[in-house]
Amino acid sequence: LKSIKTTYQEGTFAIPAMGMEFKYSRYSKRPNKMKMEMADENSGMQMIQCLNGDMGWYVDPFRGVTEPVEMDEQMYEMMARQSDPDSFLFDREKKGIKVELVGKEERAGMQVNNVKVTYKDGTFFNAFFDVDSGILMGTAMTMEQMGQQVSMETRMADYKEVGGTLVPHTITIMQATMEMSINLTKYTVNEPVDDAIFAMPAAEK
């Protein structure tokens, strides 16, 4: 894991119920840089979420944010956790993460170990590991959006070896009543990534 300094992935992000599909790409660079882009090639609309090492910024035209805006502390913290290149299990004691085995259960037709993962600020989620292989098959959590509690479940599948690690190439996200999916067609490690791509651009006048 520590030998992987940069990653790049591309594919599609789809929302089937709305008939929408976007071009998806994501760069990451140690220690804490990440840039994710989703673009609608028909309309030209582009959503960006980016961490540049010191702060985070985003563009989200679907929410009326058409110019780069700095993330608030809560959004930045959530994105930083999701972008951890070593995952939540690696060096978890140093990160102040507590893990507890809840027990075995059946989920999406398979036997999994349910593990509760709690961060030092008290927020938590549940991770589900295949009983036979130990591979992470999904997560579930409840988060607050616009003053309401919203459930989100993620499922990982189609694992392939990349750079000596196993990487899911199909990720399904169920948030409230909406289902979304990421399907990767490319995933590379340790290719050069220019720091300039993570810089927050100035708003157009």
Side-chain angles (χ1 to χ4, degrees):
L1 284 172
K2 291 295 186 183
S3 72
I4 297 175
K5 307 302 182 184
T6 68
T7 66
Y8 171 71
Q9 50 186 276
E10 67 178 40
T12 59
F13 179 92
I15 310 176
M18 300 177 67
M20 302 177 73
E21 185 173 284
F22 304 88
K23 182 179 179 181
Y24 171 89
S25 65
R26 185 179 183 276
Y27 292 90
S28 70
K29 185 175 185 178
R30 285 187 187 275
N32 51 5
K33 295 182 174 70
M34 184 280 298
K35 187 176 186 180
M36 185 271 290
E37 297 177 276
M38 293 192 299
D40 181 350
E41 296 179 319
N42 294 321
S43 66
M45 293 179 72
Q46 185 177 45
M47 187 177 88
I48 304 171
Q49 293 178 336
C50 186
L51 308 178
N52 69 13
D54 300 312
M55 49 81 74
W57 59 274
Y58 69 101
V59 175
D60 190 350
F62 304 102
R63 297 183 183 179
V65 182
T66 57
E67 298 290 343
V69 173
E70 185 172 345
M71 293 179 183
D72 61 27
E73 185 177 351
Q74 183 180 20
M75 184 178 183
Y76 175 82
E77 186 67 24
M78 182 180 70
M79 292 301 302
R81 289 173 179 173
Q82 293 176 352
S83 304
D84 184 349
D86 296 324
S87 88
F88 56 88
L89 289 177
F90 195 85
D91 277 347
R92 60 185 181 274
E93 293 88 356
K94 186 184 297 183
K95 298 171 186 174
I97 297 173
K98 181 181 178 181
V99 296
E100 305 169 78
L101 177 62
V102 178
K104 292 182 180 179
E105 61 185 70
E106 184 173 322
R107 199 170 186 89
M110 65 175 61
Q111 290 294 314
V112 297
N113 285 311
N114 179 354
V115 175
K116 183 180 179 181
V117 181
T118 306
Y119 290 95
K120 55 186 176 183
D121 65 359
T123 59
F124 69 91
F125 67 95
N126 291 79
F128 307 102
F129 298 88
D130 179 64
V131 168
D132 295 324
S133 67
I135 292 175
L136 179 64
M137 304 308 297
T139 62
M141 66 181 298
T142 300
M143 58 186 180
E144 186 172 316
Q145 282 190 349
M146 300 177 68
Q148 295 185 332
Q149 295 294 310
V150 178
S151 62
M152 184 172 76
E153 181 177 346
T154 303
R155 295 177 183 172
M156 293 84 160
D158 190 22
Y159 274 85
K160 298 176 182 178
E161 184 185 351
V162 183
T165 66
L166 289 175
V167 178
H169 281 58
T170 300
I171 301 171
T172 304
I173 305 156
M174 285 149 287
Q175 187 169 324
T177 58
M178 183 171 291
E179 181 173 313
M180 300 161 278
S181 64
I182 297 172
N183 291 283
L184 300 182
T185 56
K186 182 178 181 180
Y187 194 109
T188 62
V189 301
N190 290 335
E191 293 190 352
V193 175
D194 190 345
D195 282 345
I197 71 167
F198 303 105
M200 180 175 171
E204 295 182 6
K205 296 182 180 180

